Amino acid sequence: MATTEMPQVRDCAVRSCAYNRQGCHAYAITVGSSDRAHCETYADLPVKGGIDAVARVGACKREDCQHNAGLLCHAPHITVGPDLDAADCLSYQPAELV
């Protein structure tokens, strides 16, 4: 999967994140933890940073998400915001059991 094919972080409602400057400007984010679809790139810092481009999803560790294949996100785009934690992937959808 080339960088241009990685899903875009279309919206991030977590204003306290250092990468959020009217949208996520991290180079790429990692989603996942053992119990939820947490944005592991979230940084609660007093400075703002990142690049002059919209972030992409670099890795997703939530194997149980229907958008996950080979630990990569295949959703067209994602949204990040508060759910169980301050910064979670709100596009996470549990995979259907077959």
Side-chain angles (χ1 to χ4, degrees), residues 2 5-6 11 13 16 31 44 50 53 57-58 68-69 71 85:
E5 297 173 9
M6 292 165 46
D11 186 43
S16 61
V31 173
D44 187 3
V57 181
N68 190 322
L71 300 179
D85 202 354

Side-chain angles (χ1 to χ4, degrees), residues 12 14-21 24-26 28-30 38-50 80 85-88:
C12 180
V14 185
R15 303 295 175 234
S16 61
C17 183
Y19 292 107
N20 191 339
R21 295 180 286 123
C24 184
H25 291 277
I29 70 166
T30 297
H38 177 71
C39 175
E40 293 189 345
T41 310
Y42 169 72
D44 187 3
L45 299 169
V47 298
K48 295 290 183 182
V80 175
D85 202 354
D88 289 327

Side-chain angles (χ1 to χ4, degrees), residues 19-77:
Y19 292 107
N20 191 339
R21 295 180 286 123
Q22 298 177 334
C24 184
H25 291 277
Y27 182 76
I29 70 166
T30 297
V31 173
S33 68
S34 61
D35 60 344
R36 63 187 181 281
H38 177 71
C39 175
E40 293 189 345
T41 310
Y42 169 72
D44 187 3
L45 299 169
V47 298
K48 295 290 183 182
I51 62 172
D52 287 331
V54 176
R56 304 279 178 168
V57 181
C60 179
K61 298 188 282 182
R62 289 305 309 211
E63 294 176 85
D64 62 337
C65 180
Q66 69 182 4
H67 302 295
N68 190 322
L71 300 179
L72 297 174
C73 181
H74 292 275
H77 53 80

